[in-house]
């Protein structure tokens, strides 16, 4: 089972990680990608060679709700 540290290392090593989460793709938010790590979802924002991790959450949680809460609180 992959750990969250492994997911962060993967994000650091690869500029284009995994895929755009479908629920965020429907919001037309292109620079965000996800890496799955066991039952966790790591959402990062790609900007050139930089990736910022925004959300680490359980895959069973409502992704749109988590993302919107994160955006509103930032």
């Amino acid at each position: 089972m992959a750990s969250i540290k492994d997911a962060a290392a993967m994000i650091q090593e690869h500029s284009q990680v995994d895929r755009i989460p479908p629920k965020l793709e429907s919001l037309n938010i292109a620079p965000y990608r996800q890496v799955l790590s066991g039952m966790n979802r790591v959402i990062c924002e790609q900007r050139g060679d930089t990736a910022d991790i925004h959300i680490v959450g359980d895959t069973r949680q409502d992704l749109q709700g988590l993302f919107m809460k994160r955006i509103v609180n930032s």
Side-chain angles (χ1 to χ4, degrees):
M1 176 161 76
S3 71
I4 294 173
K5 286 183 181 181
D6 292 337
M10 184 161 134
I11 291 167
Q12 183 178 10
E13 293 172 14
H14 306 286
S15 61
Q16 290 297 321
V17 296
D18 214 346
R19 62 185 178 88
I20 300 170
K23 291 190 177 186
L24 294 185
E25 189 172 30
S26 68
L27 297 174
N28 213 13
I29 306 174
Y32 293 90
R33 300 281 190 263
Q34 80 173 351
V35 174
L36 297 177
S37 174
M39 292 300 292
N40 294 300
R41 173 191 327 258
V42 179
I43 302 293
C44 63
E45 177 184 7
Q46 303 283 166
R47 283 184 276 135
D49 292 338
T50 303
D52 296 322
I53 294 175
H54 289 283
I55 297 172
V56 177
D58 191 300
T59 56
R60 296 167 288 187
Q61 290 179 297
D62 172 38
L63 178 58
Q64 284 178 313
L66 284 173
F67 189 78
M68 296 312 272
K69 192 181 300 183
R70 171 77 171 125
I71 295 297
V72 169
N73 291 330
S74 55

